[in-house]
Structures are given as C-alpha cells and as structure tokens.
Amino acid sequence: MVNGSGDDPRFLECIRGQSPLVKEVDLTSATKRPLRADAQRNYDAIVQAALDVFVEQGTQGSLDEIATRAGVANATLYRRFPTREDLLVAALRHRMAELDEIAGQLSASDNPGAALEEWFFHLATHLRTYRGLPDSIARALSDDGSPLAHACQPLEVWTERLLARSTLTRFTRADLDPHDVFHLVASLAWAADTRGDSEHDLRRMAHLVLEGLCVKAPPSQRSTQG
C-alpha cells in the first residue's frame, strides 16, 4: 500500500492512475463465458429478488424467499450463488459502478482534501447500502478468500488514490496507511448502520474522521494563529 511518503515508487503511479493494484482488480465479469438465455433470465431474476429482499430485510434476508420471488428452485439459486456473499456481491454490482464513476470524478477535483471527505461520505454510504452490510463486510475483510472482501478491493484502490492526492498537497498526514483509512471508514459505516444515522449525521462524521487525518500545526504555532 502507498504510505503517502513518496518513498514508495507506486505513490506517483497511483496519482497518475497507473497503480498496479488496479490491474489486479476484476471490476466486471466480461471475461466470463456468457450464459444461455434461460440461465441469464434466472440469474437476473435471482439478483432482482435479492435486491428487493435485502432492501426489506437486510443482508440476512431469507435466501428461500429470494428463490421463491425469483421463481427458481433453491438448487438453482445455490448453483449460481454458492454463498450469501456471492449473492451480495451481485446485488451490489450496480452500486459499485456508480461509486466507481463518483470516484473518477473526485480524482479530477482541484481540491483533493474536499474530494477525500466527499469520498469518505460516498464510501460509507455504499458500505451501508443494506441493513447489516457493514457487519457483513467487517467479517469478510478478515478473510482473504471472501467474495465480499474481493469486491471491496476497488474501493480500497480508490481510497489509496484519493488519499495519495490529498497527501501530495500536504493536506493529510504522510504516515497514513490507505488500508487503515479504508477500515476506519468501514467502521464509520458500521457505527452509522448500528445507530441508524441520517445522511446529515454521516456527513458530519465523515468530516470528523477527515479532521483526525489532517496535518496539524504544532501547539506553539496554533497559539499564535488567528
């Protein structure tokens, strides 16, 4: 991970949008063999049913009900999605595309500090798309083989890029590990999900998190400022 010091050669690569991490992340399923028409219909029906059930019941929503709403047998659901995490990843794919577009726009901002704060807000919002999702992600991040953890890799890459831009302008501290920062925002999403925070609350907390990462003037300088 880029540490923000500039000593790591990947630091400037990250700023230029050439981080080798990006090449390791499969953002699409374009390389997978296309499904037959009937199989694709089943797949789409399952994902749509999962979207509805997760919105209504949270990430622990009934898989049996998802299969019923999709009009498929349980065996068909489990053949397509062996685990609940596989289904969650598919249900979140459209949000990932939206978040990728937002991150791309923020990476072109002429105010890297403000862009980073806006990213924290959008990232935390995404991580709590469904009730219970932050907890599912927290568990997944401790398992390198988790489909949900793998799906979070592009989010970590964007966090790395936006943090690096902010650090390059000396807005944020140079000793920050993007991996730690990502986990910090994930923890913020967990707290917001647990408390039922509003969008306003989440923005306020995202700002508070950023303040803790900012470069601060020494006490002797602060006392003479203003």
Side-chain angles (χ1 to χ4, degrees):
M1 288 291 185
V2 174
N3 60 20
S5 68
D7 296 331
D8 189 327
R10 293 165 64 186
F11 180 72
L12 290 180
E13 291 179 350
C14 182
I15 296 295
R16 297 168 184 150
Q18 300 172 347
S19 170
L21 278 177
V22 178
K23 299 176 183 178
E24 298 170 6
V25 177
D26 180 14
L27 291 174
T28 72
S29 57
T31 58
K32 297 179 181 179
R33 181 177 300 176
L35 297 174
R36 299 190 318 272
D38 58 336
Q40 185 66 57
R41 283 193 298 271
N42 286 342
Y43 180 95
D44 293 341
I46 292 170
V47 172
Q48 184 56 57
L51 284 166
D52 295 339
V53 169
F54 290 151
V55 166
E56 296 169 11
Q57 304 177 13
T59 58
Q60 297 306 308
S62 168
L63 298 183
D64 289 344
E65 184 170 347
I66 291 173
T68 299
R69 292 193 188 190
V72 301
N74 284 9
T76 300
L77 184 150
Y78 289 117
R79 183 166 62 252
R80 286 288 163 213
F81 303 98
T83 70
R84 182 181 295 271
E85 281 195 10
D86 291 312
L87 193 50
L88 271 172
V89 170
L92 288 166
R93 186 158 291 146
H94 71 294
R95 288 282 295 124
M96 285 288 293
E98 294 172 4
L99 203 59
D100 186 66
E101 182 177 352
I102 290 170
Q105 294 171 354
L106 291 175
S107 70
S109 169
D110 58 2
N111 188 336
L116 185 62
E117 180 174 335
E118 191 68 9
W119 171 248
F120 285 171
F121 168 74
H122 284 290
L123 177 58
T125 298
H126 168 73
L127 295 178
R128 61 180 295 212
T129 298
Y130 306 120
R131 187 173 69 256
L133 181 60
D135 187 62
S136 298
I137 289 175
R139 296 175 187 275
L141 290 176
S142 63
D143 177 8
D144 292 338
S146 160
L148 197 52
H150 180 74
C152 285
Q153 289 179 8
L155 306 181
E156 291 204 52
V157 171
W158 276 121
T159 301
E160 179 183 28
R161 286 186 176 184
L162 292 165
L163 178 63
R165 291 186 76 241
S166 178
T167 301
L168 191 62
T169 62
R170 303 186 186 281
F171 181 77
T172 41
R173 291 162 39 189
D175 61 343
L176 301 173
D177 184 330
H179 183 71
D180 291 340
V181 173
F182 176 80
H183 280 258
L184 181 61
V185 179
S187 297
L188 171 61
W190 179 87
D193 185 60
T194 301
R195 295 192 303 256
D197 284 357
S198 66
E199 179 178 313
H200 175 76
D201 292 331
L202 190 57
R203 282 194 176 277
R204 179 173 54 82
M205 295 304 294
H207 178 75
L208 186 60
V209 167
L210 183 65
E211 279 198 330
L213 306 181
C214 288
V215 173
K216 301 294 184 182
S220 58
Q221 293 184 26
R222 289 203 300 269
S223 63
T224 60
Q225 291 175 349

